[in-house]
């Protein structure tokens, strides 16, 4: 089955890719509706940048950024809230969000109390310093053990829908990111639905330059091919959701790769294997 496409809507002045573009509420709402028209099954609204080195924002600022946008989008498309703050998660659910996208993997009690879905993402360290010196023994095994333990705690607490996400770029070198993408099927074999976000991330800039012989890494707005290719790879490994900026291109590529329908359920590997490369 084709994975769910989560469209990214950062209502922030400083996100690494779309920072500043949608910080005005009206423009953010328009863009969220456009992502839905392009085929996003869910729009992920965030009001605090998590890019490496980002400074935290206060609760009132984050609430003012996300709540009006969620209220406007929720009648039209499923909305998730990308936050690390319990109060923002609660307000977002009150405004219509039904999934908490949690890069700290620490808000499962809020998801249980509100009876909404929860994405547990892996991060080593915290955004300000996470890229200073990320280190693992076996990155795939360590990320998987962490996520499965968090998911089990959430399910035991009564969270109705639990996703796991390896957190590409969050306290990881390029080698760690590639290892996690290559090892994604291990994560999927846990039986938990897996979400993956590679879209426009830095490791793709370097990889794309290496592939085409450019002198410097591809800039953040020139990473479309790498973003779509890795989303497809993730889908091929069994991911049930891909988090992307370029919704139209990703939806088209997933469609062209041959799988039918959209699912948040376990992925039908057999169907994909037989249809993907026809
Ligand atoms: N990446 C970013 C932000 N939130 N959430 C999940 N679940 N997975 C991710 O990989 C992820 C995320 C950073 O990217 P952005 O600044 O473009 O939103």
């Amino acid at each position: 089955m084709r994975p769910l496409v989560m469209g990214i809507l950062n209502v922030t002045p400083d996100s690494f890719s779309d920072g500043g573009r949608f910080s005005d509420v009206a423009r953010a709402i328009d863009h969220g509706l456009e992502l839905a028209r392009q085929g996003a099954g869910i729009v992920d609204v965030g009001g605090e940048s998590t890019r490496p080195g980002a400074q935290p924002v206060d609760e009132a600022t984050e609430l003012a950024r996300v709540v009006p946008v969620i209220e406007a989008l929720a009648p039209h498309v499923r909305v998730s809230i990308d936050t690390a703050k319990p109060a923002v998660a609660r307000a977002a659910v009150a405004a219509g969000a039904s999934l908490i996208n949690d890069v700290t993997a620490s808000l499962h009690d809020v998801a249980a109390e509100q009876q909404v879905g929860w994405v547990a993402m892996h991060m080593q360290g915290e955004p300000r310093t996470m890229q200073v010196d990320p280190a693992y023994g076996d990155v795939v095994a360590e990320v998987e053990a962490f996520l499965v333990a968090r998911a089990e705690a959430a399910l035991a607490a009564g969270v109705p829908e639990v996703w796991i996400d390896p957190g590409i770029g969050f306290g990881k070198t390029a080698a760690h990111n590639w290892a996690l993408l290559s090892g994604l099927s291990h994560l999927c074999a846990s039986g938990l639905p897996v979400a993956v976000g590679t879209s426009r991330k830095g490791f793709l800039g370097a990889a794309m330059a290496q592939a085409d012989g450019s002198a410097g890494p591809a800039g953040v707005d020139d990473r479309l091919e790498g973003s779509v290719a890795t989303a497809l790879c993730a889908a091929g490994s069994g991911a049930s959701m891909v988090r992307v900026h370029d919704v139209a291109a990703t939806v088209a590529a997933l469609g062209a790769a041959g799988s039918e329908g959209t699912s948040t359920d376990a992925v039908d590997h057999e169907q994909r294997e037989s249809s993907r490369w026809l």
Side-chain angles (χ1 to χ4, degrees):
M1 296 290 259
R2 203 186 305 175
L4 187 66
V5 173
M6 171 187 267
I8 301 170
L9 183 55
N10 287 320
V11 196
T12 56
D14 59 345
S15 287
F16 79 94
S17 156
D18 49 2
R21 287 187 204 169
F22 310 116
S23 50
D24 167 75
V25 166
R27 283 170 67 199
I29 293 167
D30 279 351
H31 188 60
L33 293 172
E34 176 59 22
L35 294 177
R37 274 193 293 273
Q38 291 177 2
I42 183 160
V43 173
D44 189 38
V45 178
E48 178 176 40
S49 171
T50 48
R51 78 181 154 77
Q55 294 301 319
V57 298
D58 63 72
E59 200 172 287
T61 304
E62 196 177 333
L63 284 169
R65 288 175 181 172
V66 299
V67 167
V69 176
I70 295 170
E71 280 171 349
L73 293 181
H76 308 285
V77 61
R78 190 174 186 200
V79 175
S80 60
I81 174 67
D82 188 344
T83 189
K85 296 188 182 71
V88 174
R90 286 192 184 92
V93 172
S98 63
L99 183 69
I100 300 174
N101 179 23
D102 178 8
V103 300
T104 64
S106 64
L107 301 181
H108 71 70
D109 50 342
V110 181
E113 157 208 306
Q114 299 290 320
Q115 284 298 292
V116 293
W118 180 61
V119 181
M121 196 201 77
H122 177 275
M123 165 162 54
Q124 187 179 79
E126 41 110 13
R128 215 168 34 81
T129 54
M130 65 190 177
Q131 290 308 104
V132 174
D133 187 21
Y136 300 84
D138 179 336
V139 65
V140 177
E142 286 170 40
V143 167
E144 179 176 358
F146 170 83
L147 290 174
V148 169
R150 301 304 300 152
E152 281 171 357
L155 290 166
V159 179
E161 175 190 356
V162 176
W163 294 80
I164 57 173
D165 182 328
I168 297 296
F170 284 81
K172 279 126 193 155
T173 63
H176 295 141
N177 293 330
W178 289 115
L180 284 164
L181 286 175
S182 314
L184 207 62
S185 54
H186 293 285
L187 221 55
C188 296
S190 69
L192 294 157
V194 171
V196 185
T198 58
S199 189
R200 300 186 189 171
K201 288 187 178 171
F203 76 114
L204 296 176
M208 288 173 68
Q210 199 178 20
D212 70 10
S214 307
V220 76
D221 289 327
D222 295 317
R223 298 177 187 159
L224 175 66
E225 296 86 346
S227 302
V228 171
T230 47
L232 243 63
C233 288
S237 296
S240 300
M241 177 152 67
V242 288
R243 181 179 181 277
V244 305
H245 299 88
D246 300 293
V247 169
T250 307
V251 168
L254 287 167
S259 48
E260 284 171 21
T262 299
S263 176
T264 55
D265 302 331
V267 175
D268 182 345
H269 294 275
E270 212 170 27
Q271 180 196 342
R272 190 188 346 273
E273 286 313 316
S274 62
S275 61
R276 183 163 40 147
W277 306 117
L278 291 180

